[in-house]
Amino acid sequence: MPDSLSPDLLQKMHAYWRAANYLSVGQIYLQDNPLLESPLRLEHIKPHLLGHWGTTPGLNFLYVHLNRLIKENDLNMMYVIGPGHGGPGLVAQTYLEGSYTEHYPAIERSRNGLQRLFRQFSWPYGIPSHVSPETPGSIHEGGELGYSLTHAYGAAFDNPDLIVACIIGDGEAETGALATSWHSNKFLNPARDGAVLSILHLNGFKIANPTVLARISRQELTELMRGYGYDPHFVEGDDPAVVHQCLAGTLDAILAQIRQIQSAARSRGGTESLERPRWPMIVFRTPKGWTGPKFVDGKPVEGTWRAHQVPIADFKDPEHLKLLEDWMKSYRPQELFDERGKFREEFAALAPTGRRRMGSNPHANGGELLQPLSMPHFHDYAVAVLKPGSVEAEATRVLGKFLRDVMKLNLDKHNFRLFGPDETASNRLEAVYEVSGKEWMADVEEVDVNLSVKGRVMEVLSEHLCEGWLEGYLLTGRHGLFSCYEAFIHIIDSMLNQHAKWLKVSRKIPWRKPIASLNYLLTSHVWRQDHNGFSHQDPGFIDHVANKKSDIVRIYLPPDANCLLSVADHCLRSRNYINVIIAGKQPEWQWLDIDSAVHHCTVGAGIWRWASNDVGDPDVVMACAGDVPTLETLASVTLLRSYVPDICIRVVNVVDLMVLQPQSEHPHGLEDQDFDELFTTDKPVIFAFHGYPAIIHKLTYRRHNHDNIHVRGYKEEGTTTTPFDMVVLNNLDRYQLALDAIQRIPRLGDQVETATARYWTTMERHKLYISEHGDDMPEVRNWRWNL
């Protein structure tokens, strides 16, 4: 193909690339003498050298070319950088285009600004070495690999004018999360969504080894990418002039392809007959550490794994100082920056301006674009509860009708989607299908139901994809909810870590605007996975989330459908949190009318007076958190009042788990006085908990009555059995809770022996019955609250 770049433009773009590379090396190495205006000395070098050079020149090369594409075509483009440890390049690029100084005025475009830019990088209380929330234009935390492509697709959903340039490291491409992310193209509708320009950055090496995709043949890599449904374009070489022309021509051709795909789809109005296109992508193969030292101490560096981090590290050797100086001077900084240290205008003019700069694209600061959800009144979906325990309902099915109308009210805004791994109907949320099908661009057969190219329900059997899509969607200014089986949400533990860290850091960056909260609905939970067995039984996500910063995380255990409605409404309206809601999907007794539920959820915990018979001085506090623990606690109360007619019981239900912490530890925490009014200062507390017992002790260890809190919860016992036997196996059943209370009430000491014998007789009867009948005893199946 003919050259896309004129000689003059080629020369200027190459100079721009040199400038970005120079600034990248300077950030890694220098704390002074930013323009090398005096001979480089040891005191100019940082005492601790951190950073990743190897991927950076390739990232810089791509950024320069994407700038040209944006400017010549007036594109709305943002970037997602998979090898985010190439942070010095992205910082350099946003500095050169002016975005960085606009966000951080102290880093001015001058000699002093350059020194501050260099000195802050990987410096105490400066900025990290990877692409982070502090980096303008980023929505992607570069500290962990694997999530770039799923974030990019999440950003592109419902953004028809946006192109997301996603650079995928070839090391990152070896992760499971990235491998499945290629399939996101089966869910991208070219009529209503934006485009993802996937660029596989193939530089051959990881930190110490070759990469898999760099060591297979071009034919095999082509077949792999075509098998994923892409049209791969190869740009390869180590001669910058040749690679400049090749990449420019390839990008022009790919942009034409993207426009043709979108034009064809949009001319058909996004009808159901819309066919899935084969999206173009780039395989960009250049040397690792390109333009860096070719040899250090006689060993090859450029084009090897030795270029991955800091190619020259030991400056006790004076030859190394000379090697670094020669390397940096090879970029000829005096040609790039004027006498004041400002990037020369003839080169700076190549960058886009205003919001067209990738460092200033508003989609990368999603709070700027965020519109509140239009919300139905959740009271309208309430279960009528005339008296506690008088009616049964499936909590998540009730919620499904509410979510259906949330989706309906926001169809025109294109800003709400529901995400889940093939479990929406299983989790009783299928009412949403009345408004929107499941997004699907692959083939459809006669047996399929609810599939639609215009769907707003995102189902794929990969928790990684669901999480990443939702994160990308939220970070670019939209709303959503992730529904998942409780046991398998652990698959994205590390992704939650990264998002929590992003939110924590973002809260302290004034220009980062709040985004919609990351909301999880965990159902099909541990206590109702008796049919699937031990593999499906794990409530440990609670512990994982509770370890995060208290100003970020919220954990809710609504005991019934009306509480679930109240909590869900609150979470969907919230900003900058991670909200975890745990609720069962099976038919369960309902306890609170909607007004009582709202009050209860607002406070977070409370005494259920209708279930209590104490007059300010209980013998025991029966506490509970979670729907099944609440059921077992209330059943234990009926047993206790039949065993010990004069017993005084207080029932406390906890819906917001974090109220258990002191307010000094969590903003939702109860003041000590309020906590003591619920749990007393000296009475035994029998606490039936949904998850692992230790977390309750951890949250309450500073409370006055902590030593009297005795927790029953999941203790890693499970199998395929009956629903009630699941709680029996973990000693969370009503009979155990009743025995616990009797054993810990001092005045009932003479009844402990009788109570213990009664418990074991009941347990023997229970085991014999379920072994014979395969179902729970009638007294358990037919139990109702009747006090």
Side-chain angles (χ1 to χ4, degrees):
M1 64 178 67
D3 289 345
S4 296
L5 306 176
S6 68
D8 180 65
L9 182 56
L10 172 60
Q11 178 266 326
K12 288 178 178 176
M13 289 178 66
H14 187 68
Y16 203 116
W17 181 48
R18 284 163 36 214
N21 287 339
Y22 179 83
L23 296 186
S24 300
V25 180
Q27 288 177 80
I28 294 172
Y29 283 100
L30 299 187
Q31 62 174 323
D32 199 0
N33 195 14
L35 290 171
L36 299 182
E37 293 169 300
S38 61
L40 191 62
R41 299 194 301 272
L42 187 60
E43 58 265 30
H44 299 153
I45 308 295
K46 294 179 180 180
H48 301 289
L49 299 176
L50 300 167
H52 293 74
W53 164 247
T55 189
T56 297
L59 298 181
N60 282 334
F61 199 94
L62 290 165
Y63 202 103
V64 172
H65 279 263
L66 293 173
N67 275 349
R68 194 236 359 144
L69 201 67
I70 294 167
K71 188 167 183 179
E72 289 187 0
N73 299 278
D74 192 29
L75 299 181
N76 181 10
M77 180 179 283
M78 62 179 290
Y79 71 82
V80 172
I81 304 298
H85 43 266
L90 276 298
V91 172
Q93 290 287 355
T94 54
Y95 176 80
L96 291 173
E97 73 185 17
S99 298
Y100 204 89
T101 301
E102 289 177 14
H103 286 101
Y104 303 103
I107 312 294
E108 66 262 26
R109 305 176 81 181
S110 67
R111 179 183 294 100
N112 289 337
L114 281 177
Q115 182 169 349
R116 294 189 187 101
L117 183 78
F118 289 0
R119 188 178 172 87
Q120 68 172 0
F121 181 83
S122 287
W123 192 268
Y125 306 106
I127 63 171
S129 65
H130 51 269
V131 179
S132 63
E134 292 94 338
T135 310
S138 176
I139 65 164
H140 178 75
E141 172 62 62
E144 182 175 355
L145 302 178
Y147 315 130
S148 60
L149 195 53
T150 181
H151 282 162
Y153 274 96
F157 293 145
D158 292 318
N159 270 327
D161 298 325
L162 182 66
I163 299 177
V164 186
C166 180
I167 303 175
I168 302 145
D170 50 352
E172 179 187 31
E174 297 176 11
T175 65
L178 198 286
T180 197
S181 294
W182 293 110
H183 290 298
S184 298
N185 58 8
K186 285 80 174 177
F187 301 86
L188 189 77
N189 182 334
R192 66 168 185 181
D193 297 331
V196 174
L197 173 53
S198 306
I199 303 173
L200 177 59
H201 187 202
L202 207 67
N203 62 25
F205 294 89
K206 305 184 286 283
I207 191 169
N209 286 291
T211 58
V212 171
L213 295 186
R215 295 296 178 92
I216 63 176
S217 68
R218 177 164 172 171
Q219 179 183 350
E220 188 176 355
L221 183 56
T222 300
E223 290 171 351
L224 177 65
M225 290 298 114
R226 287 192 64 81
Y228 278 131
Y230 293 88
D231 177 21
H233 297 247
F234 284 75
V235 177
E236 302 171 290
D238 58 6
D239 182 337
V242 174
V243 181
H244 275 303
Q245 293 289 7
C246 182
L247 181 57
T250 299
L251 285 171
D252 288 340
I254 281 179
L255 179 60
Q257 278 185 268
I258 290 173
R259 284 177 162 170
Q260 191 279 326
I261 288 169
Q262 293 178 332
S263 177
R266 293 168 189 182
S267 67
R268 300 175 65 179
T271 60
E272 292 295 343
S273 61
L274 192 64
E275 294 183 0
R276 175 170 61 94
R278 185 177 290 277
W279 291 96
M281 57 87 63
I282 295 175
V283 178
F284 183 63
R285 187 194 294 264
T286 56
K288 195 174 186 77
W290 199 11
T291 74
K294 296 190 180 301
F295 291 89
V296 176
D297 295 332
K299 296 177 181 178
V301 174
E302 184 188 66
T304 78
W305 53 269
R306 293 187 181 91
H308 184 79
Q309 291 177 301
V310 181
I312 309 168
D314 180 10
F315 287 95
K316 294 175 183 176
D317 184 343
E319 288 298 318
H320 286 186
L321 192 65
K322 180 67 165 60
L323 191 59
L324 174 61
E325 186 173 33
D326 290 345
W327 174 17
M328 295 193 70
K329 284 187 173 180
S330 72
Y331 298 117
R332 306 193 299 280
Q334 69 281 358
E335 298 177 7
L336 306 172
F337 302 93
D338 65 20
E339 63 281 357
R340 296 170 299 163
K342 184 178 180 182
F343 191 37
R344 295 186 185 275
E345 184 58 33
E346 61 184 293
F347 307 128
L350 296 184
T353 58
R355 290 190 162 197
R356 287 301 192 231
R357 295 170 296 176
M358 288 191 284
S360 295
N361 191 299
H363 294 282
N365 189 9
E368 288 188 359
L369 304 176
L370 185 64
Q371 297 181 38
L373 283 174
S374 297
M375 298 283 284
H377 204 308
F378 69 90
H379 287 71
D380 296 341
Y381 305 84
V383 177
V385 180
L386 300 180
K387 57 181 292 190
S390 62
V391 62
E392 283 187 308
E394 299 163 286
T396 58
R397 193 180 299 279
V398 174
L399 178 67
K401 296 176 182 178
F402 173 69
L403 293 175
R404 172 199 63 198
D405 292 346
V406 172
M407 189 169 286
K408 183 178 181 180
L409 288 174
N410 292 279
L411 284 176
D412 292 340
K413 291 184 178 181
H414 311 292
N415 69 341
F416 179 78
R417 294 198 185 202
L418 180 66
F419 300 79
D422 192 35
E423 296 158 359
T424 304
S426 174
N427 290 335
R428 310 290 198 268
L429 303 176
E430 69 267 34
V432 296
Y433 297 146
E434 298 171 24
V435 174
S436 174
K438 294 174 278 190
E439 171 65 22
W440 187 256
M441 290 294 299
D443 293 344
V444 177
E445 299 180 358
E446 288 186 7
V447 297
D448 296 326
V449 294
N450 297 320
L451 300 183
S452 170
V453 300
K454 297 183 287 186
R456 309 202 63 75
V457 180
M458 310 301 293
E459 289 194 18
V460 61
L461 196 51
S462 166
E463 287 82 359
H464 283 127
L465 269 189
C466 294
E467 173 78 12
W469 286 346
L470 177 54
E471 288 178 1
Y473 202 62
L474 298 176
L475 287 160
T476 48
R478 281 75 63 75
H479 306 257
L481 181 135
F482 182 3
S483 166
C484 186
Y485 280 19
E486 182 184 48
F488 304 130
I489 195 65
H490 278 295
I491 294 171
I492 57 83
D493 277 1
S494 192
M495 297 183 77
L496 176 137
N497 289 349
Q498 296 301 321
H499 192 76
K501 293 174 189 295
W502 182 278
L503 291 178
K504 176 184 180 294
V505 175
S506 295
R507 281 170 168 258
K508 299 178 180 179
I509 301 173
W511 55 268
R512 285 278 181 192
K513 305 303 180 184
I515 60 171
S517 295
L518 174 56
N519 297 311
Y520 297 94
L521 172 66
L522 305 186
T523 186
S524 300
H525 62 54
V526 56
W527 303 112
R528 288 296 182 259
Q529 280 293 342
D530 43 275
H531 55 297
N532 277 323
F534 196 35
S535 66
H536 284 55
Q537 296 159 359
D538 189 328
F541 196 64
I542 292 173
D543 302 65
H544 181 64
V545 173
N547 283 327
K548 305 307 168 191
K549 295 295 289 188
S550 63
D551 58 350
I552 300 296
V553 296
R554 307 286 184 264
I555 302 171
Y556 300 99
L557 295 119
D560 63 6
N562 287 339
C563 289
L564 176 58
L565 285 171
S566 178
V567 165
D569 178 83
H570 169 76
C571 291
L572 287 174
R573 294 177 187 274
S574 68
R575 302 286 183 270
N576 267 13
Y577 294 132
I578 294 174
N579 297 310
V580 178
I581 308 169
I582 303 166
K585 67 183 184 181
Q586 302 296 346
E588 299 284 0
W589 294 112
Q590 303 299 297
W591 310 114
L592 302 181
D593 62 66
I594 191 62
D595 292 334
S596 300
V598 171
H599 179 265
H600 182 49
C601 294
T602 301
V603 177
I607 298 171
W608 281 5
R609 296 293 181 189
W610 54 268
S612 308
N613 70 340
D614 70 303
V615 188
D617 187 27
D619 291 312
V620 65
V621 176
M622 303 299 288
C624 46
D627 48 12
V628 169
T630 297
L631 170 68
E632 292 305 309
T633 293
L634 292 173
S636 75
V637 169
T638 62
L639 291 173
L640 282 168
R641 290 174 66 176
S642 67
Y643 298 157
V644 187
D646 67 342
I647 193 171
C648 290
I649 301 172
R650 175 181 297 174
V651 175
V652 173
N653 182 267
V654 177
V655 62
D656 180 348
L657 191 64
M658 308 317 284
V659 303
L660 298 177
Q661 281 193 306
Q663 198 166 79
S664 60
E665 300 295 318
H666 195 284
H668 285 198
L670 293 173
E671 295 283 5
D672 281 340
Q673 179 181 348
D674 297 326
F675 186 92
D676 294 344
E677 286 181 4
L678 295 180
F679 295 97
T680 78
T681 58
D682 57 358
K683 303 299 183 186
V685 178
I686 311 302
F687 202 127
F689 178 53
H690 176 90
Y692 292 99
I695 191 65
I696 299 299
H697 291 297
K698 177 180 176 181
L699 296 175
T700 61
Y701 81 97
R702 290 186 177 178
R703 298 299 193 177
H704 295 143
N705 202 26
H706 173 254
D707 289 343
N708 283 324
I709 297 177
H710 309 281
V711 187
R712 295 288 184 180
Y714 185 67
K715 60 179 190 179
E716 207 66 23
E717 293 293 339
T719 185
T720 301
T721 185
T722 67
F724 184 66
D725 193 48
M726 263 302 295
V727 291
V728 169
L729 289 171
N730 290 277
N731 298 114
L732 184 65
D733 62 277
R734 59 199 67 179
Y735 301 105
Q736 178 69 70
L737 297 175
L739 177 60
D740 286 344
I742 291 172
Q743 289 176 330
R744 288 175 171 82
I745 298 173
R747 71 179 181 86
L748 300 182
D750 60 345
Q751 298 189 32
V752 170
E753 185 176 347
T754 300
T756 302
R758 179 173 57 220
Y759 169 77
W760 286 113
T761 298
T762 304
M763 287 299 99
E764 182 178 11
R765 184 162 53 87
H766 157 73
K767 293 293 185 182
L768 290 172
Y769 189 92
I770 66 171
S771 298
E772 176 69 20
H773 299 281
D775 200 358
D776 288 318
M777 298 183 297
E779 66 199 70
V780 171
R781 297 198 316 270
N782 301 328
W783 178 87
R784 295 185 65 169
W785 175 257
N786 56 11
L787 294 179

